[in-house]
Amino acid sequence: KAGVTQTPRYLIKTRGQQVTLSCSPISGHRSVSWYQQTPGQGLQFLFEYFSETQRNKGNFPGRFSGRQFSNSRSEMNVSTLELGDSALYLCASTPGDSNEKLFFGSGTQLSVL
Amino acid sequence: AQSVAQPEDQVNVAEGNPLTVKCTYSVSGNPYLFWYVQYPNRGLQFLLKYITGDNLVKGSYGFEAEFNKSQTSFHLKKPSALVSDSALYFCAVRADTGNQFYFGTGTSLTVIP
């Protein structure tokens, strides 16, 4: 079974631009969640989608948005990029049950210049 | 409010010695507890989880963790550290009544040859 796939692996943008990150979950997994990882802050939860519906949302500004498609693939969008948005963005999938572990992708490293 | 604390940013241990990485949590309801490991430029990999039952949980690569309800702790342990165990370790909690994972800020483990 293929793992969680995130594209692109690396991304360089300038302030004010927008960016879209993609995540393909493990086949059969219906829940996809997104995290922002920065040194010293650990993993900050962005949002979680389950069967195309946003089920949970973290404390991030409205510039951060996401969606999930009928095939469970998910995209995350960040508009009006700021320097502080530079981070590793991780996607994780689970079948959807609360006691199941997260399966993580390798992440997208976003650098905002 | 749910939260996870990893009080040590950095843990150093000599190869062959036992290691402990600390984690305490706060959650409403019964906790589902997880440990993940992250190697450089990689996503997080699952190590072990506690859902219910025996308080001592055994996981991958010889790691184990002990759930202590009274101290709300879930410390990660290994009897004999290897240089290859050097990595970033994350503790996570999820309430049995919810769907969101909460992660600690991570502990960087260095095993010295």
Side-chain angles (χ1 to χ4, degrees):
Chain A
K1 221 179 215 185
V4 178
T5 304
Q6 290 188 248
T7 56
R9 186 71 180 89
Y10 299 95
L11 210 48
I12 299 175
K13 293 287 186 179
T14 56
R15 281 181 298 172
Q17 287 186 309
Q18 76 163 21
V19 66
T20 299
L21 282 54
S22 180
C23 173
S24 293
I26 291 173
S27 177
H29 286 194
R30 293 190 296 164
S31 168
V32 174
S33 51
W34 289 88
Y35 296 84
Q36 181 194 67
Q37 182 180 9
T38 54
Q41 294 291 319
L43 272 70
Q44 302 291 312
F45 173 74
L46 283 153
F47 27 66
E48 184 220 359
Y49 288 87
F50 181 82
S51 295
E52 302 181 64
T53 300
Q54 187 179 89
R55 190 159 67 170
N56 288 293
K57 189 178 189 303
N59 296 321
F60 276 80
R63 299 185 297 107
F64 292 81
S65 63
R67 58 178 175 170
Q68 187 180 32
F69 302 95
S70 59
N71 62 357
S72 292
R73 190 177 72 84
S74 177
E75 287 182 347
M76 188 190 103
N77 185 276
V78 187
S79 62
T80 319
L81 283 166
E82 301 177 359
L83 295 179
D85 296 333
S86 295
L88 179 66
Y89 290 87
L90 292 166
C91 165
S93 73
T94 74
D97 295 330
S98 61
N99 63 353
E100 285 293 329
K101 64 186 180 186
L102 291 168
F103 292 80
F104 282 88
S106 295
T108 294
Q109 183 68 54
L110 172 64
S111 297
V112 182
L113 306 178
Chain B
Q2 345 280 16
S3 65
V4 175
Q6 293 182 243
E8 301 158 318
D9 291 336
Q10 174 80 40
V11 170
N12 296 324
V13 63
E15 186 177 23
N17 282 3
L19 69 86
T20 298
V21 183
K22 297 179 180 178
C23 171
T24 58
Y25 66 90
S26 173
V27 68
S28 301
N30 294 314
Y32 296 151
L33 293 155
F34 302 78
W35 276 101
Y36 290 85
V37 60
Q38 185 179 36
Y39 298 100
N41 301 313
R42 302 288 300 276
L44 277 67
Q45 298 177 30
F46 171 78
L47 276 179
L48 50 80
K49 69 178 180 181
Y50 170 83
I51 302 299
T52 187
D54 195 349
N55 289 345
L56 184 63
V57 178
K58 294 188 183 297
S60 307
Y61 313 120
F63 284 94
E64 59 188 29
E66 186 167 11
F67 171 61
N68 187 316
K69 188 173 183 177
S70 63
Q71 296 184 4
T72 61
S73 67
F74 190 57
H75 301 329
L76 181 70
K77 300 181 180 183
K78 187 173 183 181
S80 178
L82 300 173
V83 172
S84 57
D85 293 330
S86 299
L88 190 56
Y89 291 81
F90 289 94
C91 180
V93 67
R94 187 172 188 173
D96 63 346
T97 54
N99 301 301
Q100 183 175 333
F101 281 81
Y102 295 85
F103 282 83
T105 52
T107 298
S108 179
L109 172 68
T110 300
V111 180
I112 303 164

